[in-house]
Amino acid sequence: KSVQAAKAMGPFLLERIRHFIASGGGYVGFCAGMFLATEQIGTSKHDGLGIIPGETELYRKDDPGGIMLPVTLENGTFDMYYAGGPMLHITPNELESTGSHLFAWYEDGSPAGIKTMYGRGKVAVAGFHPEASWLWKTLKGNPEREDQRWLALEMMKWAGGI
């Protein structure tokens, strides 16, 4: 889906998005939005935005998604809606040299969320869906009523400079 989105936007719009962020704008991405944020979209060899360091790869190859997964944040572990999103491959040197900050990890320790600067702008992305409503979860057979949309709001506030 993220490759389809990048193709639909085309190189001109992708460059305009990069310019917007570099000029002080914000970018928040969930799932496909994290795939799109790296230099190359997952393992597709298709160009992404290149606004976060590292590389993305599908986290759960055995499951298309629509499940609840434990995600560890700095303030605890929460069940988050997962729908075929990425994990991030990043080295300590990449983190340090870009001033990036990991804020979420999947249960096996794989990075699941990162905040970073791109030019004068801020980028916050996650491989899962903190914005998922109870309806999404219920429609996929997960009657989880706990709401983690506070994390999506925190990411938006941070990227927007609020």
Side-chain angles (χ1 to χ4, degrees), residues 50-115:
I51 57 174
I52 66 169
E55 298 175 350
T56 49
E57 177 185 356
L58 183 63
Y59 175 60
R60 300 244 343 223
K61 294 169 185 66
D62 63 329
D63 191 330
I67 60 173
M68 300 302 291
L69 287 181
V71 174
T72 300
L73 307 173
E74 294 159 320
N75 61 338
T77 300
F78 303 88
D79 286 334
M80 296 284 183
Y81 186 78
Y82 174 82
M87 63 180 164
L88 184 65
H89 295 289
I90 189 165
T91 67
N93 283 347
E94 288 174 311
L95 277 171
E96 187 177 332
S97 68
T98 59
S100 299
H101 174 72
L102 294 176
F103 69 89
W105 299 264
Y106 292 116
E107 59 190 326
D108 69 355
S110 298
I114 188 170
K115 293 179 182 175

Side-chain angles (χ1 to χ4, degrees), residues 108-160:
D108 69 355
S110 298
I114 188 170
K115 293 179 182 175
T116 192
M117 300 295 293
Y118 181 77
R120 293 191 327 264
K122 293 180 175 182
V123 178
V125 293
F128 51 93
H129 286 275
E131 85 286 11
S133 71
W134 66 270
L135 181 60
W136 286 24
K137 299 169 193 176
T138 301
L139 290 175
K140 288 291 187 173
N142 300 300
E144 174 68 49
R145 293 287 184 172
E146 191 171 334
D147 187 351
Q148 271 71 27
R149 288 184 286 175
W150 56 267
L151 178 58
L153 183 58
E154 281 184 15
M155 292 168 66
M156 288 184 273
K157 286 179 176 180
W158 183 84

